[in-house]
Amino acid sequence: MSSEETSTIQMNRPVADVSATWRTLMIVGGILAVMGVIAILAPFVTGVALSMLLGALLIVGAALRGIHAFGAKSWTGALVQGGIAILYTVAGVALIANPVYGLVSLTILLIAYFLVDGLLEIAMGLRLRPDANWGWVVASGVLGLVVAALLFVGFPSTALWAVGLLFGVNLLASGISMVMVAMDGRSHAREDAASSAARSV
C-alpha cells in the first residue's frame, strides 16, 4: 500500500466513524442542546445547582485527601494532606449550605478567566497580524474583555445569572455543533449506502 493510499484512509477514518455513530451523536447533541436551553431559561437555578455540585466534589476530594493523609509516610506530609482535607471540607460545606456564596466566587473566577483569555487572544492575534485571519482572533479577545467588563460592572448582581447563563450557552453551542456533525455523518452514511447498492446491482 502506498503512502498516499495510507494517508487517504487515515483522513477518511473520522468521517467513517461519524457515519457509523451519527444517530448516537445526534441524540446526545439534542439532549445537550435542550439542557442548554433549560439552563439559559433558568440561570439562577442552574448556577445554584453547579455551586452545590462543586461543594459535593470538594467534600469528596476532602475524603480522598484524608485517606491519603493516613497513608503518608511522614508526619509533615500527613499534616499537609490533613490541612488540605479540612480546607476542602470547609469550602464544600459552605458551598452546599450557601450556594449563592459559591455563585459569587464562581463569577469572580469567570471575570478573571475572560479578562486573561481576552488579553492573551489579543496578543496572539497581533502576533499573527500578517496572517489573513488575525482580525478574528483579536475580535474574539476584545469580546472576552467586553464580557469581563460587563460582569464586573454589574457585580455582584451578575452572580445571580452569569454562571448559569454561560453554562447554558456552552451546552447549547456544544449540542448544536454535535447535531451538525451528526447530520454531516448521516449524509455520508446515505452516500455510502447508495454507492454500495449501486455496486451490488
Side-chain angles (χ1 to χ4, degrees):
M1 181 180 293
S2 65
S3 59
E4 184 178 349
E5 291 175 344
T6 304
S7 61
T8 303
I9 292 174
Q10 290 176 347
M11 290 175 61
N12 290 334
R13 189 172 298 161
V15 176
D17 292 341
V18 174
S19 299
T21 61
W22 67 267
R23 290 183 179 83
T24 303
L25 193 63
M26 183 171 288
I27 292 173
V28 173
I31 293 173
L32 286 179
V34 171
M35 291 175 61
V37 172
I38 294 174
I40 292 172
L41 294 177
F44 177 71
V45 176
T46 303
V48 169
L50 290 173
S51 183
M52 296 182 69
L53 176 61
L54 179 59
L57 291 176
L58 285 173
I59 292 177
V60 172
L64 295 176
R65 290 282 185 173
I67 294 172
H68 192 264
F70 283 108
K73 296 181 180 179
S74 62
W75 65 271
T76 54
L79 285 178
V80 171
Q81 294 297 330
I84 296 175
I86 293 173
L87 181 63
Y88 277 21
T89 302
V90 172
V93 171
L95 287 177
I96 293 176
N98 189 4
V100 177
Y101 171 78
L103 284 179
V104 174
S105 302
L106 290 175
T107 304
I108 294 174
L109 291 176
L110 277 177
I111 293 173
Y113 167 76
F114 281 115
L115 177 63
V116 173
D117 184 67
L119 292 174
L120 290 176
E121 282 197 299
I122 291 175
M124 184 184 303
L126 293 176
R127 290 187 62 184
L128 297 173
R129 196 164 5 181
D131 210 5
N133 296 320
W134 70 274
W136 290 103
V137 181
V138 173
S140 177
V142 171
L143 181 61
L145 294 182
V146 170
V147 172
L150 291 175
L151 292 177
F152 179 76
V153 170
F155 190 80
S157 62
T158 51
L160 299 178
W161 55 264
V163 175
L165 178 64
L166 293 175
F167 181 74
V169 169
N170 182 63
L171 281 181
L172 180 60
S174 299
I176 291 175
S177 65
M178 291 177 69
V179 170
M180 297 305 293
V181 171
M183 290 177 66
D184 185 58
R186 180 180 63 180
S187 64
H188 283 292
R190 289 178 175 176
E191 290 175 1
D192 293 340
S195 61
S196 297
R199 285 195 300 266
S200 62
V201 174

